[in-house]
Amino acid sequence: MVISAMMADQPPPLEATPILNEVPLLPHMVNGDTTQQVILVQVNPGETFTIRTEDGHIQCIQGPAHVPMMSPNGSVPPIFVPPGYVSQMVEENGVRKVVVMPHSTEFHPSMHPPPPHVPHYMHPHPALLPHPPHPVYPPVPGTGEIPPQFIHQHPPPPSPHVYQEQESRSHARTNFVQRDERTLKMQEHLKKRLKDRQASGHTNNKTNSPPSSPHKVQNSLNANVQNGCGKGQQGAGGQIKQKQLGKTRGSPPAEAEMGESNTEFRKPEELFSISKPIVSEIQARSAVLSWSPPVASQNGETQNVTTETFLFEVAISNSGKNGKFKSIYVGEEMTITVPDLRPATDYHIRLSASSSSTKEIVSELASFTTESCEPDPPAAPKVVNRTKNSLNLQWKSSNDNGSKITNYLLEWDEGKNGAFKECYYGHLKQHKLTKLIPSTKYTFRLAAKNDIGMSGFSETLVCYTIGVVPPPPPPPRLTEGGVTWLSLEWSPPSGVSADDSLTYILEMEEEGSDYGFQAGYNGDELSCTLKDLRRSTSYKFRIFAHNTEGKSGPSEVVEYSTCPDKPAPPTKLAVKGKIHPHNVKVTWDPPKDTGGSDISKYTLEISETSPGSKWETAYSGSTREHVCAHLKPGTSYQLRVHCVGKGGQSQPSDVLTIQTSAVPPGPCHPPCLVGKAKPREIVLQWDPPSTDGGSEVTEYIVEMANSDQDERRQSYHGQAPECTVNGLLPGRTYCFWIRAANKAGLGPYSEKAEFTTAPGPPDACCPPQLTCKTATCVVASWESPACNGAEVSEYRVEWGQLEGLMHIVYSGPLLSYEVKGLIPATTYYCRVQAVNIAGAGLFGEIAMVTTPASVPAAVTVLHLLEEDQMEAPLPLSTCLVLHWEEPCCHGAEIVGYNIEYGEKQLLTVSSVTSHVLENLQPDTLYRIRVQAFNSLGAGPFSPSIKAKTKPLPPDPPHLECVVFSYQSLKLKWGEGPSRALIANPTQFNLQMEDRFGRFTTVYSGPCHTYKVQRLSESTTYYFRIQACNDAGEGEFSEVYAFTTTKSPPPALKAPKVHQLGDSICEVTWEPLQPMKGDSIVYTLQLACGREVDQVYKGPETSFRVTNLQTNCEYRFRVCAGRQYSDSTGSQELCGPYSPSTAFSSQKQESVSPCSDPSLDLAKSGRKALSDEQFAFLLLIGFATVAILFAVIIQYFVIK
């Protein structure tokens, strides 16, 4: 171990040793205090540097590392060596070194084994260390604290440690870098010596050299192999933080040597590394950190680790790269948000990763600076001077958070305890307020402002201006008193303003106490309540007023007393003598505690034991016994007693329960009738007696008699309070009495109750007498039955054709009824029932009667048969087909029917249900009705129906051909529109003869024209026509013959023009075959400008045109003509012209053998549009415009 001393204005460049990046510097080191000296402690590999701080904490730093420490006086710190070692100061080349070496070569740690309970490392005893007024060598915070069980008491003797002390020569940073490089060279030299010593330790005799300690062997193993890498890999890839276990440190030396030898033959493993975290979204108080998972490198190749699950730890420092790092996150996530940061502060982030199979991996440091923001709220201002009319305030600046504070805002309440208002705004840190009110409370608060914004307000400052000592206040007044408390109030001293802030001191003195006045209240209220006082005791009171200037004189002394307490409840409440049914006598003893005053009276309360009963006062007086009268027999009562003194009423005594004796029950109320009385029974109901005698009623006895003088007989005996009395006579009056009984005996009879039974319904009537008055009317009569105590009020007559389906046809007081509307020759059944106020009697026996036969009934259904319902077709213009249903014959068979139609024309038919009226007028309306008759006469007519005959079928119209064509004929007939614009009842059937001589229908409809198409030219066709309407189809017309014309020749293709000379050209066209033997001639036209001339007409298919002008444009077209002969002579039928062919005559100077004039003519012919093509394009344009207008109307108008 080497200690080097040097003076430095700023922290040394510790980046040369990577482990030093984990050791933060002290704040005064970072600030560059020139009065202190930096002491670098070099910790070699495999060694541990132990530091004990002033507060007693132990810190251990494992090598290799450089530990920066501070020396206020530039001296080398005292070296405390373990037992068996000595330190010696050696000077080599002007550099002082402290060398630690074993005292004797025979020393071995086994000679001084530590106790089991003693840790392996022990810090120096405090008595061995000097105690300066301040820490001489404050350790660097953040280097990590190790519990005592991981600290060795006896460090092993390594190779001689060298401590170097070099006087400070320059404060420049370059000199320090040179010192650091020299230190690194020495460190490498020490490592090499340590390695040679370990290699020779296996071959030399161990008895002649000090043995290696277990701690050293383990540390050497950890220094040589970390995460599967040796020293070379560790130096190239950066130092890796190593963790040691206490069990390994305490292993025997032999095992350590074996582990050391095995390490040399161990194969290199993978080396893990992790990139530094990425900082984003940096705000004033937060930032987002993200990082990538570790990668593994082996033999120079890097690959991602996908099978490992890493645990990440993020540490942060705001005191420089070598400052104290604080762990802020441990987890598996790779993106976190760091909150609670300081604005405008430099932060350094260190990321470490570990897993179950790998050791901890540390990344490079990532640095960032937070944004600036508004200042922190400042501290509350302080009063530096005050008078009666002024206050001088002063304050300190707060953290500006990266932006300089420009102004301060001071607010106050103006001494009114109201809202805050601004009293100062500026950059000064003090302010004086004048023209204030003496002895007044003022409240202040402060805020700071920078270029970013205004901070929050500080805590409020409450202060007072100087005043005068207040005068003595008036004596306190008693507002309310209790047993152990007194409530007092007082008024402020006279002449004191209401705005003055006063506090009051209330002093009290207990009666008979030797302590004098003692403070009972201290506050700014004008009232207080003193508690925990003694009961019925006198107290003296006085009060003082106090303000910021001092304490006033005492007020006048007043005396108040607490109230007496409530007495205890009376005791020994008991019954004196025998308990009677209606009274009882009770006594009691006075209370054991009277509450400090005499008992003025006793209050006896009584209550029944039933739920919901309330306590009632039975006695109130000074005696201690009382007779409770007017009690209920057989009832349980509760008794309790209170006593009353000056302190109030006591709690009730223990409850005494008694029960009075029972007596027979009292009289019952007279029974009442339930519902209505029936003819032979009545239902009685009664209430229990008003008093049950203190015992539950066990039974009731009901007695009855016809009158008061008649003998009574028992009609009911039971527990229910109601009964049904049977076997009575209707319309009779009966008397009833009731009495109740309990276990004490029978009670008295109730008062008499009289009830009359209801009358009964009458008896059943005798069968009625039925007499047929007509075929549809029967008279029924009957006799009155026995009324059973009530006069018959009405009779009900039931009538029907079946015994089980009769219904009431009469209800009234008469003894006869005439039934009308009957059906002749039908059997009817009848019965009668009598009704009085008691109800309806039974129906009498059923009587039967049959009505005589009569004329048939009227026909109910009469209608006309449609044409599709007829068996054979009939001329509906002169005939009507009637159909009806047979009516009821009323006992005599129907012989026939009379049909009345027209002008009351009567037609008689046999017994049928349909008939055809013939020889009627076409298109005429008739009124028709039907009447049935039998041997007894004719029945009534049926309802009339109206029927109209159809008109006669129409005659066929005249047929003519209005348009002839070679493949169609347009025919016309009759007078009317060519299309069916309105509903036309007349239809037309047009027929044409086919090649087999049969006429087939080619058109059927209401139109008056029709065009027959797909015909052959010059052919005669035969037609006939028929008219139809609602009356039917008319006759066909005569046969008409019409002949088609000859067809014209078809249009030719555009002719071809060949220039033969300067003014000569030849025009050729395609020939046509003769049409049905008719010859074909051709007509050639030449157009020049607006002039058109016919240049040729004949059967040839070419023509040579001469005398053409040079440089002039011509057009040629040709048409074919058909020549034939008819009765009028020779005729010619011309077809349409072919498309035009343009030709431009040019002067030919030299004709190329490859030149073809027809090519130019063909090109010019392609450019010119024919009439048909121009018409087609025009049609497409109109269609496009129409579709566009339709879309616009649909979108804008309809929608």
Side-chain angles (χ1 to χ4, degrees):
M1 182 181 300
V2 178
I3 299 179
S4 300
M6 63 185 68
M7 298 299 292
D9 294 335
Q10 45 188 319
L14 302 178
E15 291 80 358
T17 304
I19 293 297
L20 274 177
N21 293 336
E22 302 179 4
V23 183
L25 296 178
L26 292 177
H28 54 269
M29 292 176 59
V30 179
N31 296 333
D33 192 351
T34 56
T35 62
Q36 297 178 349
Q37 185 177 6
V38 178
I39 305 296
L40 289 180
V41 180
Q42 176 181 333
V43 184
N44 297 327
E47 298 177 350
T48 301
F49 183 63
T50 305
I51 301 173
R52 181 179 184 273
T53 60
E54 184 181 7
D55 55 358
H57 288 82
I58 301 299
Q59 297 181 354
C60 295
I61 303 173
Q62 296 179 357
H66 284 176
V67 183
M69 302 185 67
M70 304 305 300
S71 174
N73 52 10
S75 62
V76 178
I79 304 300
F80 298 94
V81 297
Y85 287 83
V86 295
S87 61
Q88 184 177 359
M89 181 70 70
V90 179
E91 183 175 356
E92 296 179 359
N93 299 327
V95 178
R96 288 181 295 171
K97 300 180 181 180
V98 180
V99 181
V100 179
M101 61 182 62
H103 179 71
S104 174
T105 58
E106 299 296 329
F107 172 77
H108 196 274
S110 61
M111 298 174 59
H112 304 279
H117 64 277
V118 179
H120 293 286
Y121 280 93
M122 179 181 295
H123 59 81
H125 195 274
L128 302 178
L129 296 176
H131 296 279
H134 57 274
V136 180
Y137 301 105
V140 177
T143 56
E145 297 182 1
I146 297 181
Q149 63 269 21
F150 293 101
I151 305 176
H152 292 263
Q153 179 183 8
H154 302 285
S159 59
H161 299 271
V162 180
Y163 296 86
Q164 298 182 2
E165 179 182 356
Q166 184 169 355
E167 298 178 358
S168 60
R169 303 172 182 176
S170 173
H171 297 285
R173 185 174 180 85
T174 56
N175 296 336
F176 188 85
V177 173
Q178 295 175 2
R179 302 295 185 275
D180 191 68
E181 292 177 354
R182 211 173 316 161
T183 305
L184 288 178
K185 291 181 180 180
M186 183 175 293
Q187 178 181 352
E188 295 296 333
H189 178 67
L190 291 175
K191 289 181 181 179
K192 184 176 180 181
R193 290 180 58 187
L194 179 62
K195 185 175 180 181
D196 296 339
R197 181 185 179 190
Q198 292 175 354
S200 61
H202 297 282
T203 58
N204 297 337
N205 188 4
K206 296 183 180 180
T207 60
N208 299 326
S209 62
S212 300
S213 67
H215 174 68
K216 177 180 178 183
V217 173
Q218 181 65 27
N219 290 344
S220 302
L221 175 63
N222 294 336
N224 293 333
V225 180
Q226 297 182 6
N227 289 340
C229 302
K231 283 188 178 180
Q233 294 176 352
Q234 180 178 357
Q239 299 288 349
I240 299 177
K241 186 177 180 181
Q242 53 185 354
K243 298 181 180 178
Q244 298 179 354
L245 300 176
K247 292 184 179 179
T248 308
R249 292 176 179 174
S251 60
E255 295 179 3
E257 293 174 2
M258 184 177 297
E260 184 177 353
S261 62
N262 292 339
T263 306
E264 297 177 359
F265 300 99
R266 190 174 181 181
K267 295 183 179 180
E269 299 179 358
E270 293 182 342
L271 178 63
F272 293 93
S273 63
I274 186 172
S275 59
K276 64 180 180 179
I278 299 174
V279 186
S280 61
E281 300 182 16
I282 302 175
Q283 304 293 332
R285 301 184 186 274
S286 65
V288 177
L289 301 181
S290 60
W291 57 86
S292 302
V295 296
S297 60
Q298 185 177 12
N299 299 327
E301 297 181 357
T302 302
Q303 56 183 357
N304 295 328
V305 181
T306 58
T307 60
E308 294 287 344
T309 300
F310 287 92
L311 185 67
F312 300 98
E313 180 180 3
V314 179
I316 189 171
S317 171
N318 62 350
S319 57
K321 293 183 178 180
N322 299 322
K324 182 178 179 180
F325 280 80
K326 177 182 178 183
S327 178
I328 60 173
Y329 170 76
V330 176
E332 298 180 358
E333 300 292 334
M334 290 190 292
T335 300
I336 63 171
T337 299
V338 183
D340 303 329
L341 300 180
R342 295 180 180 178
T345 305
D346 295 335
Y347 284 93
H348 304 277
I349 302 295
R350 182 181 65 197
L351 175 65
S352 60
S354 62
S355 65
S356 59
S357 61
T358 61
K359 294 186 178 181
E360 188 174 16
I361 310 167
V362 182
S363 70
E364 297 181 4
L365 295 181
S367 303
F368 68 95
T369 303
T370 54
E371 300 290 340
S372 302
C373 67
E374 66 277 358
D376 292 341
K382 297 181 180 179
V383 179
V384 297
N385 187 19
R386 63 176 177 173
T387 63
K388 292 183 179 180
N389 304 106
S390 67
L391 289 173
N392 194 353
L393 304 181
Q394 191 177 13
W395 56 86
K396 296 181 179 180
S397 60
S398 61
N399 188 7
D400 58 1
N401 290 334
S403 178
K404 182 179 179 181
I405 296 177
T406 57
N407 291 289
Y408 294 93
L409 174 63
L410 181 65
E411 293 185 352
W412 68 326
D413 63 348
E414 298 181 345
K416 301 178 182 179
N417 293 329
F420 283 91
K421 296 183 180 180
E422 179 182 343
C423 64
Y424 171 74
Y425 182 80
H427 64 281
L428 300 180
K429 296 181 182 180
Q430 62 180 0
H431 181 65
K432 183 176 181 180
L433 292 94
T434 58
K435 300 180 181 180
L436 304 182
I437 303 174
S439 187
T440 304
K441 172 184 175 182
Y442 292 91
T443 305
F444 299 89
R445 65 180 183 179
L446 180 68
K449 181 182 180 182
N450 59 8
D451 294 338
I452 298 177
M454 182 75 71
S455 71
F457 283 96
S458 65
E459 296 181 358
T460 58
L461 168 67
V462 179
C463 57
Y464 297 85
T465 53
I466 295 177
V468 296
V469 176
R477 302 181 300 275
L478 179 65
T479 58
E480 190 176 359
V483 178
T484 60
W485 56 274
L486 292 174
S487 292
L488 304 177
E489 66 176 9
W490 53 87
S491 301
S494 59
V496 177
S497 174
D499 296 333
D500 292 345
S501 178
L502 299 178
T503 57
Y504 300 93
I505 300 175
L506 178 66
E507 294 182 352
M508 58 182 289
E509 182 184 9
E510 183 179 348
E511 180 184 8
S513 174
D514 297 334
Y515 297 104
F517 282 93
Q518 294 181 351
Y521 170 77
N522 187 352
D524 55 358
E525 300 292 337
L526 294 176
S527 63
C528 74
T529 300
L530 303 175
K531 299 180 180 180
D532 299 330
L533 306 180
R534 298 178 61 184
R535 69 179 183 182
S536 188
T537 304
S538 178
Y539 291 88
K540 295 180 180 179
F541 298 95
R542 66 182 182 182
I543 192 168
F544 296 87
H546 187 278
N547 62 4
T548 55
E549 301 304 321
K551 181 178 178 182
S552 70
S555 66
E556 296 181 5
V557 177
V558 291
E559 186 175 354
Y560 301 109
S561 300
T562 56
C563 300
D565 198 0
K566 295 180 181 179
T571 60
K572 296 182 180 181
L573 177 63
V575 177
K576 186 177 182 180
K578 183 180 179 181
I579 301 176
H580 299 282
H582 297 284
N583 56 73
V584 65
K585 186 175 182 180
V586 293
T587 61
W588 59 88
D589 290 345
K592 296 180 180 181
D593 182 12
T594 62
S597 62
D598 296 335
I599 302 300
S600 59
K601 66 175 180 178
Y602 295 93
T603 301
L604 178 65
E605 294 180 343
I606 188 170
S607 171
E608 296 184 9
T609 57
S610 59
S613 299
K614 297 181 180 180
W615 291 94
E616 297 179 356
T617 302
Y619 167 74
S620 181
S622 59
T623 59
R624 299 198 307 274
E625 66 177 9
H626 178 69
V627 176
C628 299
H630 307 291
L631 303 181
K632 298 178 182 179
T635 304
S636 295
Y637 288 94
Q638 293 178 339
L639 298 173
R640 67 182 183 182
V641 63
H642 299 270
C643 60
V644 180
K646 292 183 179 179
Q649 181 174 310
S650 69
Q651 294 293 327
S653 65
D654 295 337
V655 176
L656 173 65
T657 303
I658 62 172
Q659 185 171 6
T660 57
S661 302
V663 296
C668 296
H669 295 284
C672 57
L673 185 65
V674 178
K676 294 183 179 181
K678 297 182 180 179
R680 298 187 181 277
E681 69 177 25
I682 58 175
V683 179
L684 300 179
Q685 188 180 28
W686 56 90
D687 294 332
S690 58
T691 58
D692 58 359
S695 178
E696 184 181 0
V697 175
T698 58
E699 62 180 359
Y700 296 95
I701 298 175
V702 179
E703 296 181 357
M704 61 173 292
N706 294 337
S707 63
D708 293 342
Q709 293 77 19
D710 292 345
E711 182 182 359
R712 299 181 182 180
R713 60 184 183 275
Q714 182 175 325
S715 61
Y716 173 74
H717 181 251
Q719 296 181 354
E722 62 178 354
C723 67
T724 301
V725 182
N726 300 319
L728 305 180
L729 299 177
R732 298 293 183 91
T733 301
Y734 295 91
C735 299
F736 296 90
W737 293 269
I738 299 177
R739 61 191 308 189
N742 61 6
K743 65 181 182 179
L746 292 172
Y749 284 99
S750 67
E751 296 182 1
K752 178 183 66 174
E754 295 183 350
F755 301 103
T756 302
T757 56
D763 293 341
C765 296
C766 296
Q769 184 179 357
L770 303 177
T771 303
C772 292
K773 188 175 182 180
T774 62
T776 59
C777 180
V778 174
V779 177
S781 59
W782 56 88
E783 296 179 356
S784 178
C787 63
N788 287 335
E791 185 180 356
V792 177
S793 58
E794 66 176 356
Y795 298 93
R796 297 173 183 173
V797 179
E798 283 193 350
W799 187 274
Q801 296 183 11
L802 298 175
E803 293 186 13
L805 296 176
M806 293 187 293
H807 60 280
I808 297 177
V809 295
Y810 171 73
S811 179
L814 302 180
L815 296 176
S816 62
Y817 178 68
E818 185 176 337
V819 183
K820 299 179 180 180
L822 303 179
I823 301 175
T826 304
T827 300
Y828 291 94
Y829 299 90
C830 180
R831 63 181 181 178
V832 181
Q833 179 188 40
V835 181
N836 61 6
I837 58 175
L842 299 177
F843 278 97
E845 297 181 3
I846 297 176
M848 183 178 63
V849 65
T850 301
T851 55
S854 179
V855 296
V859 176
T860 56
V861 178
L862 174 64
H863 60 87
L864 290 176
L865 291 180
E866 299 296 333
E867 186 175 1
D868 55 351
Q869 297 176 348
M870 300 179 186
E871 297 179 358
L874 295 174
L876 298 181
S877 58
T878 58
C879 297
L880 291 175
V881 181
L882 301 178
H883 180 77
W884 61 86
E885 294 182 1
E886 182 179 356
C888 182
C889 64
H890 287 172
E893 185 179 0
I894 295 176
V895 178
Y897 296 92
N898 296 325
I899 301 175
E900 183 182 270
Y901 66 95
E903 298 295 333
K904 294 187 178 181
Q905 298 180 13
L906 194 61
L907 176 64
T908 302
V909 298
S910 61
S911 180
V912 295
T913 57
S914 61
H915 182 71
V916 178
L917 297 178
E918 299 178 344
N919 301 324
L920 301 179
Q921 297 295 327
D923 198 17
T924 304
L925 182 65
Y926 289 91
R927 186 183 300 271
I928 305 171
R929 61 181 182 172
V930 180
Q931 178 188 43
F933 60 90
N934 59 9
S935 59
L936 299 179
F941 278 100
S942 67
S944 300
I945 64 171
K946 294 181 179 180
K948 186 177 182 181
T949 56
K950 294 184 179 181
L952 294 175
D955 295 333
H958 176 71
L959 184 64
E960 60 179 348
C961 182
V962 295
V963 178
F964 292 88
S965 177
Y966 62 91
Q967 60 181 2
S968 64
L969 295 173
K970 184 174 182 180
L971 305 180
K972 180 181 181 183
W973 58 86
E975 298 293 337
S978 60
R979 297 185 179 271
L981 300 178
I982 59 175
N984 189 3
T986 304
Q987 302 289 324
F988 301 96
N989 295 329
L990 178 64
Q991 294 184 353
M992 184 179 68
E993 186 180 14
D994 57 8
R995 60 179 178 174
F996 301 104
R998 296 175 302 182
F999 280 93
T1000 57
T1001 302
V1002 297
Y1003 171 75
S1004 179
C1007 295
H1008 290 263
T1009 59
Y1010 181 72
K1011 186 176 183 180
V1012 185
Q1013 298 180 349
R1014 298 182 181 179
L1015 303 179
S1016 300
E1017 64 169 348
S1018 188
T1019 304
T1020 300
Y1021 293 91
Y1022 300 94
F1023 300 91
R1024 68 177 183 178
I1025 193 169
Q1026 177 191 37
C1028 307
N1029 60 7
D1030 295 340
E1033 296 180 354
E1035 297 179 356
F1036 279 97
S1037 65
E1038 59 182 7
V1039 178
Y1040 296 89
F1042 302 105
T1043 304
T1044 57
T1045 62
K1046 291 182 178 291
S1047 60
L1052 300 176
K1053 294 183 179 180
K1056 298 180 180 179
V1057 182
H1058 301 276
Q1059 186 173 359
L1060 302 179
D1062 294 341
S1063 61
I1064 301 174
C1065 68
E1066 184 178 8
V1067 182
T1068 60
W1069 54 89
E1070 295 182 356
L1072 293 178
Q1073 298 296 329
M1075 302 176 66
K1076 290 187 178 183
D1078 296 337
S1079 59
I1080 301 298
V1081 297
Y1082 304 96
T1083 302
L1084 178 64
Q1085 287 186 352
L1086 173 63
C1088 181
R1090 295 184 179 181
E1091 297 180 0
V1092 179
D1093 297 328
Q1094 181 176 331
V1095 297
Y1096 171 74
K1097 183 174 184 180
E1100 300 297 333
T1101 59
S1102 63
F1103 180 72
R1104 183 171 293 180
V1105 182
T1106 59
N1107 300 326
L1108 298 178
Q1109 297 181 5
T1110 306
N1111 298 328
C1112 185
E1113 184 176 355
Y1114 296 93
R1115 288 184 297 167
F1116 295 93
R1117 67 178 182 175
V1118 65
C1119 71
R1122 180 179 180 180
Q1123 294 181 349
Y1124 63 93
S1125 299
D1126 56 4
S1127 58
T1128 59
S1130 178
Q1131 301 291 336
E1132 181 179 348
L1133 183 60
C1134 296
Y1137 278 93
S1138 67
S1140 300
T1141 300
F1143 172 73
S1144 178
S1145 60
Q1146 297 179 359
K1147 184 177 181 180
Q1148 295 183 351
E1149 295 180 356
S1150 60
V1151 180
S1152 174
C1154 298
S1155 63
D1156 189 358
S1158 62
L1159 296 177
D1160 298 336
L1161 295 176
K1163 293 180 180 180
S1164 61
R1166 293 192 190 101
K1167 296 180 180 179
L1169 294 175
S1170 63
D1171 296 340
E1172 290 80 359
Q1173 294 175 346
F1174 182 76
F1176 179 72
L1177 292 177
L1178 189 62
L1179 179 61
I1180 291 177
F1182 277 112
T1184 304
V1185 173
I1187 293 173
L1188 181 60
F1189 273 104
V1191 171
I1192 293 174
I1193 293 174
Q1194 174 73 18
Y1195 185 78
F1196 291 100
V1197 178
I1198 297 178
K1199 290 187 178 181

